[in-house]
Amino acid sequence: MSAPLIEPVDLNLDIGTVVFDCRFSLADMAHGRRVFEAGHIPGAQRFDMETELSGARSGRNGRHPLPTRTTFEQRLRAAGVNNTTKIVLYDGAGPAGAARAWWLLQWFGFNDVAVLHGGFAAWQQAELPIETGAANAVPVSGQVCLREPNASSVVFIDELASQLNLFAGRLIDAREAERYRGEAEPIDPVAGRIPGAVNLPWGDLLDADGRFLDRTALREHWQAAQGAETKPVLYCGSGVTACVLALSRAVADLPPATLYAGGFSEWCADPARPVASSM
């Protein structure tokens, strides 16, 4: 397994590396394409959060359900990826979109993948080359074959809802503190959290430039949030920023976590499910 992060100066844009731009905005679905065309790392492809890093929505399975192996495999092949390709992912400054793609690739058994530390902002600060316009066409030569998803890496809604008491203290909510407490909810129709969850806001693990804190600081945050628990279950609003927590554990050399990808958006879609708040 490769190191989870790569610095801009260490990124070698050679023929064996495929770079994906994962920038997105929850408030503007056209944001990712627009900023990509305004400037991106040379040769980069796009990963679209809504159509490629997420699956079909039913209205009850959360805002960003997991894609199927088949559709994700097809996207990688179209980008020229095969099983020997090194993949590098980047977002804007914070790593949320790139972390989601990193987690998905790990889930499907693709291990030679890294996230650009500091994202596109760090690339620009290093005064490295930039391209504009749409992504270049790539010969469809990828022969990637992903494994079946790792069942131990995820928790699904039926298991969580039926055994909620067993998850108390293991559930880690990655959202901002005011959303966790139920004081504000800008996206989902219900405010609050899944009962038994503790809060570790994903932004607390990053510095002002969107780079991860050092290994010692990350471990301290995790110790404060979960004590001795070695297998937390991570969730957020829709399974995106929770992946920043998952990536932080790899950076800190901690055991991998489990993801509840449906997140609070799936949980609160059924009014019969309990919701906690600090109001």
Side-chain angles (χ1 to χ4, degrees):
M1 184 180 298
S2 62
L5 300 178
I6 185 170
E7 298 297 332
V9 295
D10 295 326
L11 175 52
N12 181 11
L13 299 175
D14 61 24
I15 196 169
T17 301
V18 174
V19 178
F20 283 100
D21 185 311
C22 305
R23 289 177 284 178
F24 78 105
S25 169
L26 292 176
D28 179 3
M29 291 187 182
H31 172 81
R33 183 174 299 279
R34 187 168 58 249
V35 295
F36 181 90
E37 292 180 356
H40 55 265
I41 293 175
Q45 302 290 306
R46 284 193 65 242
F47 254 151
D48 186 85
M49 178 60 67
E50 305 300 327
T51 62
E52 296 172 341
L53 296 178
S54 302
R57 298 159 186 77
S58 68
R60 298 180 67 83
N61 62 349
R63 286 181 278 108
H64 294 106
L66 298 175
T68 66
R69 184 183 73 166
T70 298
T71 57
F72 199 60
E73 200 171 68
Q74 288 171 346
R75 177 65 188 100
L76 293 175
R77 289 176 177 172
V81 172
N82 59 49
N83 285 96
T84 63
T85 302
K86 178 178 179 62
I87 295 178
V88 175
L89 311 157
Y90 70 90
D91 206 311
R100 166 74 170 211
W102 173 86
W103 185 89
L104 283 170
L105 286 159
Q106 300 277 322
W107 188 48
F108 287 121
F110 200 104
N111 293 320
D112 197 3
V113 54
V115 170
L116 187 67
H117 202 195
F120 189 63
W123 184 268
Q124 290 177 299
Q125 290 166 6
E127 298 183 346
L128 292 165
I130 292 172
E131 283 184 346
T132 60
N136 295 326
V138 175
V140 183
S141 58
Q143 298 298 320
V144 67
C145 184
L146 301 178
R147 73 179 183 196
E148 285 295 323
N150 184 356
S152 66
S153 296
V154 294
V155 169
F156 292 106
I157 184 65
D158 290 344
E159 179 184 1
L160 181 61
S162 65
Q163 304 181 60
L164 184 58
N165 63 314
L166 300 180
F167 288 92
R170 292 182 60 203
L171 279 171
I172 308 291
D173 187 321
R175 297 173 303 161
E176 298 83 355
E178 59 271 19
R179 293 182 70 191
Y180 167 83
R181 292 193 297 264
E183 296 169 358
E185 182 45 65
I187 305 173
D188 293 313
V190 178
R193 62 182 179 271
I194 301 174
V198 298
N199 193 208
L200 179 54
W202 67 279
D204 289 359
L205 305 180
L206 309 173
D207 66 16
D209 295 321
R211 295 169 60 89
F212 280 101
L213 304 178
D214 63 41
R215 181 175 180 270
T216 299
L218 290 175
R219 283 175 166 257
E220 288 173 352
H221 276 288
W222 276 106
Q223 178 62 30
Q226 64 162 155
E229 176 58 56
T230 59
K231 187 78 170 181
V233 178
L234 313 176
Y235 81 93
C236 55
S238 64
V240 177
T241 56
C243 294
V244 177
L245 267 60
L247 179 56
S248 80
R249 291 182 66 85
V251 174
D253 197 25
L254 291 168
T258 299
L259 182 71
Y260 167 45
F264 191 69
S265 59
E266 179 182 52
W267 182 264
C268 73
D270 184 345
R273 297 187 189 116
V275 171
S277 71
S278 303
M279 300 290 285

